[in-house]
Amino acid sequence: MAAEIARRSLKASSFSLLRTLTSFQTRSFSNYAESVQPESDAPSSSFTFSENSGDGDSNSQRKSAIDDNIFIKGPKKASSSKEAESVTMPMSFMTGSIVGKRFYQKVTTREAEDGNGWSVMLDYRTLKTPSKRPLKCPTLALAKAIAAEWEYQEADGIRPFTMPLMKLSCTALERVPLTRHKIIEHLMKKFPQDLVFCRAPGDNDLTSGVLERQVEKIDPLLKWVESEFGFKPTVHTSFFGGKQDDGLVSAIGSVLKKTDDCELAAIDAIASAAHSLVIALGIFRGRLGIEEAIELIRLEEDLQVDNWGLVEGGHDVDIADLRVQIASAVVFLGLTRRV
């Protein structure tokens, strides 16, 4: 009797030890498999290992035996031919994030299928906007410029901040048609606080130099506004702006309403970077060049740099960023105009 009890105890303990070792091996193998399995987008199969549950009844043992199986998940099904023939940029493209590795070899341009505009091709795929609309450029010159931006991308990632023309094209194609009224309303709301209307006080030694430079550099632009639109702008010393002549406001608004989508996108981009609709219209009408505009925008800050010095990693980065924003909008404006 004692021998039979000892034999059963030994058998039970051996089975428990074997089960513990099996569970440990399965759990370890599962962790290792998870660490080396390929990404979900990879074409090869992936493996999933289930971990045993813990109690000792017979149902748990049967369930454990089932869970010990190795499941093989096949590769994803190939996308439809229609999806494979186009490339849709994710919404993160508009935010400046890196959107993924370069997946194409050759960039070309061709006329749109409906004959209205030009398309950019990444290998055999037609480039689309973030909302999955075909990217149609109004001119071949703009299409080739955008193609050059895509050709410039490195293999390790697509960087939207190096593609300002692509961003402006998406804005003109998608955002402007839907929000044209709001864009114009926002520009006119900020018009009384325009950068060129604000003057530094002349009764302070700290700001007298700024005022002199504003008179020298900005007054010619204000005289152009008067001759171009027929109303003299009012200057002020308040950061909150001052009231402008209703005739001038009406004339500026009329100009904005007559622009096409590409022109309004460029004017909005310049005005946002310059904090000045007048400077944006000066560029739009050919009164200002890129460097002249940047000089007016940075007039006060450059005076501080002259007095106190340039901060590396601060002022120089701001200047470079501003030059990219203004220059890209000016280039975009020029490339969209049909000669």
Side-chain angles (χ1 to χ4, degrees), residues 30 132 162 241:
S30 175
K132 299 184 179 181
T162 63

Side-chain angles (χ1 to χ4, degrees), residues 58-124:
S58 58
N59 291 334
S60 297
Q61 293 177 13
R62 285 195 298 270
K63 183 177 180 181
S64 218
I66 295 174
D67 286 346
D68 284 339
N69 295 329
I70 298 177
F71 302 95
I72 302 178
K73 182 172 66 175
K76 289 185 176 181
K77 294 182 179 179
S79 58
S80 64
S81 59
K82 184 176 181 180
E83 293 179 351
E85 293 175 356
S86 64
V87 179
T88 301
M89 291 299 96
M91 288 307 298
S92 59
F93 181 88
M94 303 298 287
T95 66
S97 304
I98 295 179
V99 298
K101 295 182 178 180
R102 176 167 174 161
F103 53 88
Y104 54 91
Q105 299 296 326
K106 188 177 180 181
V107 186
T108 57
T109 59
R110 72 175 186 184
E111 191 174 4
E113 295 180 357
D114 59 0
N116 184 22
W118 299 83
S119 300
V120 177
M121 307 295 296
L122 305 182
D123 293 333
Y124 59 88

Side-chain angles (χ1 to χ4, degrees), residues 215 218-233 287:
V215 171
I218 297 179
D219 274 10
L221 180 62
L222 297 181
K223 290 179 180 179
W224 171 82
V225 172
E226 183 179 1
S227 64
E228 187 78 6
F229 301 103
F231 300 92
K232 185 178 181 179
R287 171 60 179 78

Side-chain angles (χ1 to χ4, degrees), residues 22 39 44 124 146 160 177-178 184 186 222 245 257 278 328 330:
T22 304
E39 297 178 2
S44 60
Y124 59 88
I146 294 175
L178 299 177
I184 295 176
H186 176 74
L222 297 181
D245 192 293
K257 291 176 183 178
V278 174
S328 60
V330 173

Side-chain angles (χ1 to χ4, degrees), residues 202-215:
D203 57 353
N204 191 313
D205 293 338
L206 294 176
T207 59
S208 59
V210 178
L211 179 59
E212 292 175 2
R213 188 170 294 190
Q214 287 175 332
V215 171

